Amino acid sequence: MTTELRALRKEDWNVWYDNLLRAFGGAVEPAEERELWKALTPYDRSIGVWDGDQCVGTAGAFDFRLAVPGGAVVPAAGVTMVGVAATHRRRGVLTSMMRRQLDDIRSWGEPLAVLTASEPMIYGRFGYGLATHRLAADFDTARVRLSLPPGTDDVRLRYADPAEVLDVCEAVYARRVPERPGMLERRPGWERVDLLDTERHRDGASPLQCVVAERAGAGGGSEVVGYARFRIKPDWGQAGPEGVVQLSSLEAADPTARAALWRFLFDIDLTQCVVAHRLPVDEPVLHLVSDIRRCGLRVRDDLHLRLVEVGAALRTRTYQAPLDVVLEVEDAFCPWNEGRWRLTGDTKGATCERTADAADLSLSVRELGAAYLGGVSLASLAAAGLVRELREGALAEASTAFLSSGLAPWLPHGF
């Protein structure tokens, strides 16, 4: 097989993107959605593999900023649009793209790469570790009640056109980003993704609706402190209405605004269920429900993370306990990361430099990626045989320091 791997040219985008769609089943995308992804495609950060005039492989890397423990928002390549034509599987196409992509990301000076995987088994061999999970829920609102915090009744809710209140909603989202590791700073154009409202997105439900939460501000005005975007899918059974509220996104600046929005969703007339597919695993509403067993909770994998530059990546986050440990890192795919690194840090910052000192812990870059955002403990990885303790006490020290000191890491939207 003779193939050529090259950067994506604008005139090749349609052929390139059609190969991607075919790799994911060949469904036809609505024009609105296709045009948005075309506008968001980073041409200078995307590559394709070509067999003659046929595109047989695609991969891109969005220019993201990712919240990490400690509140910093750091550069991260958002690996996306990865697909290989079924005619060219098991011929090294994917490996060649991953090789080129990680070399490029390193040359751009970005210490992290992140992705969501259609098939999680694929990316471990390229050094990606599973760093966050997401929660899905089917709240039985006919039977589940909420216990609301004081002040909830002070929050005013109103319907609004999703596009007309986009800016104020985005301001609420932006305030939330540093508070939770794994959240993505919204880059230009990305605010439009959650407003996509094609027939494919509706799947028989209503057009996208939006409710904003407001609180009285200084001088008699009001301030938007939260929002919920959702659709309603009507349904009727023999006993009456059985409609479903399909939650798209919900953000709030404080607990009372969040509680007011959830109460609204639970109380919508002619519905008996609120369905949410992307909640953090520590979603606060779980502490307010009257019956957790009637919430239909399911956890699945979400963000996979790779340290492209070990030293730079480990320096960008903080650590919730004092830490001084030498890591022996294995990284066959990116050998520049191999070897020993002394990581010293606390809640104020960290240093991470190469060292010839004896190692305290031994692990692969995949395990470092899994633990990086603080949602997966090094101790649990060690219990699975994936981290080896070489100095007594080093595992407990490092595991405590790496864990997130606040909210669980969470990816608010896919890419």
Side-chain angles (χ1 to χ4, degrees), residues 16-220:
W16 182 87
Y17 194 68
D18 284 342
N19 175 76
L20 174 69
L21 293 181
R22 184 172 56 240
F24 280 83
V28 177
E29 276 193 337
E32 175 188 351
E33 187 172 358
R34 186 182 181 96
E35 286 304 310
L36 178 55
W37 289 118
K38 184 175 184 178
L40 291 174
T41 299
Y43 289 91
D44 58 341
R45 297 166 61 95
S46 300
I47 53 178
V49 175
W50 299 80
D51 186 353
D53 60 358
Q54 183 182 21
C55 182
V56 297
T58 63
F62 292 120
D63 176 16
F64 282 154
R65 300 291 185 272
L66 179 79
V68 301
V73 182
V74 305
V79 175
T80 186
M81 300 184 182
V82 179
V84 176
T87 54
H88 287 66
R89 293 181 62 205
R90 300 185 180 89
R91 301 188 189 183
V93 173
L94 178 61
T95 299
S96 69
M97 292 193 297
M98 294 294 100
R99 169 78 280 136
R100 166 69 176 270
Q101 189 175 68
L102 286 168
D103 289 342
D104 285 347
I105 295 168
R106 186 189 187 203
S107 73
W108 301 331
E110 296 170 7
L112 301 171
V114 293
L115 58 84
T116 60
S118 56
E119 296 180 276
M121 63 182 291
I122 294 175
Y123 292 98
R125 69 181 186 270
F126 303 120
Y128 289 86
L130 176 56
T132 77
H133 293 78
R134 76 189 198 204
L135 186 70
D138 299 333
F139 297 99
D140 181 353
T141 55
R143 301 185 183 186
V144 177
R145 296 292 176 262
L146 297 177
S147 176
L148 302 172
T152 301
D153 290 337
D154 297 333
V155 178
R156 173 179 175 267
L157 302 182
R158 65 178 175 89
Y159 281 101
D161 182 282
E164 292 180 0
V165 294
L166 180 58
D167 289 346
V168 292
C169 292
E170 287 301 298
V172 173
Y173 177 90
R175 289 169 58 184
R176 299 285 295 162
V177 170
E179 300 173 5
R180 190 185 284 274
M183 289 192 72
L184 296 172
E185 181 180 274
R186 210 89 88 185
R187 307 294 283 164
W190 279 89
E191 72 282 355
R192 297 162 53 197
V193 173
D194 200 44
L195 298 191
L196 280 171
D197 194 28
T198 67
E199 290 299 327
R200 185 176 75 85
H201 290 86
R202 296 176 186 175
D203 190 26
S206 72
L208 186 68
Q209 302 182 42
C210 180
V211 161
V212 295
E214 297 177 325
R215 184 177 291 109

Side-chain angles (χ1 to χ4, degrees), residues 341-373:
W341 298 85
R342 178 174 289 279
L343 173 61
T344 304
D346 54 24
T347 57
K348 297 179 180 178
T351 62
C352 187
E353 305 295 341
R354 287 200 173 273
T355 182
D357 295 343
D360 300 321
L361 295 176
S362 175
L363 71 173
S364 80
V365 73
R366 181 175 59 187
E367 279 63 65
L368 267 183
Y372 181 78
L373 293 178

